[in-house]
């Protein structure tokens, strides 16, 4: 129990007044939620193009999205930001099919990058043909927005292919495009989706676009309206009963419980790197007490650091396994088998891979957070289910408990300020808590200047495609409409943006004597071009097939004990294990890796490092603009393999933005997100200083920083798109 404990009231969702005519519900169902019926009506309304469903977490937004499909009336593409969420949704949708039994028995196909590569190899197909084949076999296609973005960019095509070879058919075949957990996307991804919607709008008959997010961004809605999309915002009504009698009364009126009453403990911690990990290590008896006091409990621990998760998994397995309790691991470096097993463990420990929409059946959670949105997202994993099935029997949860590991200052603001918004042992509804957290916790920057400054770079690439000789006459009017709409949405002129794209290409050619355009490529990509990604052979992984992974160099430098390896040795071992096990291993993700390494273990303490630049960084920082830099290396004196990585790194052209301020200062003043790619860097004059005087943002983070860095300059910055 914490000194700062509150209770959260249960949440009940308003039922629809009646089930629409023609809707076939399962016999055991008496009604639908109000937002589900309203979403269905909007999908069927020819006067609505874009729908935002803002129902609370756990209130059945997924069923609202696929309800029309379950009536056998439409085909849908579901786009999910993580592969784990796509797997989870596949299980849910198949459950809907078993429950609703639609007459057309819709086929569900899930397609990730690895699955696409393996299917193409097994069938002897090019990736474009594999995408066409798999999408043609589905009434419900579940994939990620990355694939959706790149197939509209023509990334899977060969020279001579018509640009609309893939999207021309897919956009016509599917009626509904669903974007789930949309709030986790950053502006580059949002700009990509806006551009793709504009392309579909201008080259096809009207389609439906459904966004599922409890917190939609107002600027996105306004930009879609600017483009002429007819937008419908759907909210739901909730009640937060104070007593069991009030809850029972609501249930008799068909109000559906979407979250149970929760005991929320705020744990104040110093803002140090390992504070959360240390607290859990010191208080592991709390976890044991939860299982002993409430037999049948299931729990989750969500942290920010993969290395911290790895260390805690080892520690807690030692403590809990003698008690017959299982501990699972779920991070970006966990193998697929480990991730799958983790969802059935008594306690799962993970990172952001599990806090984005995965439907856990748990009754206690310990989580750390970095900002208000992060806090709300992770707390939302708890209280969604009253129990789980085990050996054909229902195990009911008896209590729901959360431990929020938060900075000292937040607890002071919430409980001990002059007029604190919360009182110890107070009883509050979830909406009020969310409002208080947003007002008092750290708010990250939303980079809203990105759209007008960088969003139209993607528009230029798509407009150029529509001029291809194979489709130019067919899409002449479509291209004209697309250009007009994109200029209106991003408040710029495509001709001016195209001029800057040519300048970047010329600058790069002069610098490197190579063709290409790193800045434009980052701006036109979905998540950025990761030139720092490395291939890892994880010898700590039990399953040989899961040992082949990728991870960015900065995370490796600080947290991993590795051994340098060659690409030849890495790929040869991959092929040998694939042959020995008879299981295909996707290898396309390793094609452009910076280096290859064997992962031996995770460091107990983070090792300091910084980038270095061989010249003077002052004129680069004073330029206040995105630039491509070469010659950058890593400074980490105790690292035995840093020379090998530097030989490769210094040859890379890195899309960069440099500021003459420390990383800590830039992060604080600009309210940067937790995983923002910004690092310390020194030049030839400051390499021996204890704290690097410069900060460098890389890739898409450099483009995002470009929209804010004028704050360090006073007025202005280089304004080139207006």
């Amino acid at each position: 129990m914490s000194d700062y404990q509150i209770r959260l009231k249960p949440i009940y969702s308003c039922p629809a007044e009646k089930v629409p005519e023609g809707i076939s519900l399962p016999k055991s169902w008496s009604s639908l939620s109000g937002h589900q019926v309203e979403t269905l009506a909007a999908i069927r309304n020819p006067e609505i193009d874009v729908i935002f469903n803002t129902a609370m977490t756990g209130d059945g937004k997924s069923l609202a999205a696929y309800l029309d499909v379950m009536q056998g009336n439409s085909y849908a593409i579901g786009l999910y930001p993580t592969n784990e969420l796509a797997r989870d949704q596949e299980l849910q949708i198949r459950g809907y099919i078993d429950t609703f039994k639609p007459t057309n028995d819709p086929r569900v196909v899930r397609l990730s990058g690895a699955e696409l590569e393996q299917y193409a190899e097994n069938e002897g197909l090019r990736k474009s043909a594999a995408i066409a084949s798999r999408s043609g076999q589905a009434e419900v296609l579940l994939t990620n927005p990355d694939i959706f973005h790149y197939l509209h960019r023509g990334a899977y095509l060969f020279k001579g292919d018509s640009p609309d070879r893939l999207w021309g058919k897919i956009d016509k075949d599917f009626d509904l495009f669903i974007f789930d957990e949309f709030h986790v996307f950053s502006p580059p991804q949002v700009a990509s989706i806006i551009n793709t919607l504009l392309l579909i709008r201008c080259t096809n008959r009207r389609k439906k676009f459904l966004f599922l997010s409890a917190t939609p961004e107002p600027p996105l809605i306004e930009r879609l309206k600017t483009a002429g999309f007819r937008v419908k915002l759907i909210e739901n009504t909730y009640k937060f009963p104070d007593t069991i009698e009030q809850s029972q009364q609501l249930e008799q009126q068909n109000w559906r419980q979407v979250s149970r009453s929760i005991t929320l403990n705020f744990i104040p911690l110093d803002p140090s790197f390992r504070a959360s990990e240390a607290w859990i290590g010191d208080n592991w008896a709390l976890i044991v007490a939860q299982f002993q006091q409430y037999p049948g409990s299931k729990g989750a621990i969500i942290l920010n650091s993969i290395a911290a998760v790895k260390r805690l998994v080892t520690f807690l397995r030692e403590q809990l396994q003698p008690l017959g309790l299982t501990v699972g691991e779920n991070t970006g470096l966990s193998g697929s088998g480990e991730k799958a097993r983790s969802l059935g463990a008594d306690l799962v420990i993970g990172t952001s891979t599990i806090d984005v929409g995965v439907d856990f059946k748990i009754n206690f959670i310990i989580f750390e957070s970095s900002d208000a949105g992060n806090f709300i997202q992770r707390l939302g994993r708890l209280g969604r289910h009253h129990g789980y099935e085990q050996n054909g029997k229902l195990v009911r949860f008896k209590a729901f408990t959360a431990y929020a590991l938060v900075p000292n200052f937040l607890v002071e603001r919430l409980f001990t300020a002059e007029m604190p918004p919360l009182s110890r042992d107070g009883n509050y509804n979830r909406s009020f808590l969310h409002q208080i957290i947003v007002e008092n916790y750290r708010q990250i920057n939303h980079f809203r200047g990105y759209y007008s400054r960088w969003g139209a770079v993607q528009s230029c690439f798509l407009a150029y495609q529509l001029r291809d000789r194979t489709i130019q006459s067919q899409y002449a009017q479509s291209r004209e409409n697309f250009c007009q709409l994109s200029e209106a949405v991003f408040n710029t002129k495509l001709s001016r943006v195209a001029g800057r794209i040519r300048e970047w290409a010329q600058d790069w050619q002069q610098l490197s004597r190579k063709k290409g355009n790193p800045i434009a490529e980052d701006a036109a990509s979905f998540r950025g071009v990761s030139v720092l990604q490395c291939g890892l052979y994880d010898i700590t992984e039990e399953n040989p097939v899961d040992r082949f992974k990728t991870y960015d160099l900065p995370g490796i430098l600080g947290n991993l004990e590795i051994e340098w390896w060659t690409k030849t040795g890495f790929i040869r071992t991959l092929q040998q294990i694939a042959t020995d096990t008879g299981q295909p291993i996707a290898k396309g993700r390793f094609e452009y890796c910076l280096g290859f390494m064997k992962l031996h273990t995770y460091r107990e303490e983070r090792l300091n490092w910084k980038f270095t630049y061989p010249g003077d960084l002052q004129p680069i920082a004073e330029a206040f603009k995105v630039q491509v830099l070469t010659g950058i290396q890593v400074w980490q004196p105790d690292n035995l393999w840093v020379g090998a990585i530097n030989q490769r790194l210094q040859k890379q052209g890195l899309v960069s933005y440099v500021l003459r301020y420390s990383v800590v200062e830039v992060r604080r003043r600009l309210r940067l997100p937790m995983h923002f790619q910004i690092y310390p860097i020194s030049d030839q004059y400051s390499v021996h200083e204890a704290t690097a005087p410069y900060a460098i943002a890389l890739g898409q983070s450099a483009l995002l920083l470009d929209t804010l860095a004028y704050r360090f300059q006073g007025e202005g910055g280089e304004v080139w798109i207006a």
Side-chain angles (χ1 to χ4, degrees), residues 463-530:
Y464 181 78
Q465 279 190 8
L466 293 175
R467 289 179 56 190
D468 187 90
R469 59 177 180 79
T470 59
I471 60 173
Q472 185 174 11
S473 59
Q474 178 184 353
Y475 292 111
Q477 187 60 51
S478 297
R479 182 181 182 279
E480 182 178 338
N481 294 341
F482 175 82
C483 292
Q484 290 175 352
L485 290 176
S486 58
E487 288 184 343
V489 167
F490 297 116
N491 192 28
T492 189
K493 291 291 184 183
L494 294 191
S495 58
R496 188 172 184 187
V497 180
R500 292 298 286 175
I501 292 173
R502 288 191 293 270
E503 289 179 19
W504 296 330
Q506 292 166 2
D507 291 345
W508 171 242
Q509 191 167 15
Q510 290 177 2
L511 177 68
S512 66
R513 306 300 176 191
K514 299 177 183 176
K515 292 183 178 181
N517 195 332
I519 293 176
E521 289 166 8
D522 256 313
S525 66
F526 191 75
R527 297 184 198 261
V529 180
S530 181

Side-chain angles (χ1 to χ4, degrees), residues 83 87 112-122 127 336 533 535-536 544-550 570-571 573-575 577-579 581-593 596:
N83 290 329
R87 291 189 192 98
S112 67
E115 290 157 344
L116 171 61
E117 181 179 335
Q118 291 168 7
Y119 180 80
E121 288 184 0
N122 291 341
K127 284 187 178 180
S336 58
Q533 188 167 266
L536 289 181
V545 174
D546 286 338
R547 290 176 184 166
F548 301 91
K549 305 169 181 179
T550 59
F570 184 93
I571 296 299
T573 303
L574 182 151
Q575 293 170 336
I577 288 178
T579 300
T581 61
Q583 298 183 51
I585 304 174
K587 57 182 181 293
R589 57 197 160 134
F590 304 115
E591 185 175 354
Y592 300 108
C593 283
F596 295 86

Side-chain angles (χ1 to χ4, degrees), residues 12 241-251:
Y12 282 80
D242 292 303
T243 65
I244 294 177
E245 291 74 17
Q246 290 176 354
S247 295
Q248 292 172 341
Q249 185 177 8
L250 288 174
E251 290 171 3

Side-chain angles (χ1 to χ4, degrees), residues 352-363:
S352 56
T353 56
I354 59 173
D355 70 21
V356 181
V358 175
D359 197 19
F360 284 120
K361 295 181 179 179
I362 58 174
N363 67 318

Side-chain angles (χ1 to χ4, degrees), residues 177-321:
F177 299 81
I178 301 164
F179 298 86
D180 199 4
E181 297 287 344
F182 190 71
H183 57 274
V184 306
F185 293 128
S186 64
Q189 289 93 60
V190 176
S192 162
I193 291 169
I194 292 173
N195 274 299
T196 304
L197 264 61
L198 291 177
L199 179 67
I200 296 173
R201 168 75 176 276
C202 294
T203 58
N204 261 289
R205 60 184 176 85
R206 297 264 182 183
K207 297 289 181 173
K208 294 287 184 175
F209 306 98
L210 172 60
F211 294 88
L212 306 178
S213 174
T215 53
E217 278 285 297
L220 169 63
I221 296 175
E222 292 307 313
R223 289 180 190 279
L224 292 175
K225 289 181 178 178
T226 298
F229 287 101
R230 298 164 296 180
V231 178
K232 173 72 173 179
L233 185 66
I234 293 175
E235 300 174 314
N236 202 26
T237 301
Y238 298 97
K239 288 189 176 180
F240 309 90
D242 292 303
T243 65
I244 294 177
E245 291 74 17
Q246 290 176 354
S247 295
Q248 292 172 341
Q249 185 177 8
L250 288 174
E251 290 171 3
Q252 291 170 1
Q253 297 169 359
N254 288 327
W255 286 66
R256 187 171 64 88
Q257 189 174 24
V258 297
S259 183
R260 280 73 194 162
S261 177
I262 293 171
T263 301
L264 172 58
N265 299 277
F266 289 86
I267 308 297
L269 299 176
D270 293 328
S272 60
F273 173 62
R274 293 187 63 173
S276 297
E277 181 183 355
W279 185 89
I280 295 170
D282 292 339
N283 293 274
W284 62 269
L286 279 175
I287 300 173
V288 174
Q290 172 74 29
F291 285 108
Q292 292 176 338
Q293 185 175 358
Y294 303 107
S297 287
K298 297 276 187 180
I301 299 175
I302 307 179
L303 302 177
N304 298 330
S305 164
I306 290 178
V309 168
K310 292 282 187 177
R311 291 189 292 263
L312 277 175
V313 165
T314 300
F315 172 76
L316 288 175
R317 278 176 176 166
E318 293 175 356
Q319 312 306 320
L320 299 183
Q321 281 182 345

Side-chain angles (χ1 to χ4, degrees), residues 364-428:
F364 81 96
I365 188 170
I366 300 172
F367 66 93
E368 65 176 340
S369 56
S370 58
D371 54 70
N374 197 238
F375 181 103
I376 293 168
Q377 178 79 18
R378 292 179 175 180
L379 178 60
R381 300 301 99 204
L382 183 66
R384 298 169 62 157
H385 297 278
H386 61 270
Y388 60 95
E389 281 194 11
Q390 187 175 62
N391 300 324
K393 295 182 178 179
L394 176 65
V395 179
R396 283 191 172 273
F397 294 136
K398 296 180 180 178
F400 296 84
T401 306
Y403 292 89
L405 312 182
V406 297
N408 286 323
F409 76 83
L410 179 62
V411 174
E412 292 171 1
R413 291 177 183 176
L414 297 180
F415 291 95
T416 64
E418 186 174 344
M419 298 182 64
L422 300 180
S423 61
R424 300 177 189 183
D425 299 320
N427 198 19
Y428 303 99

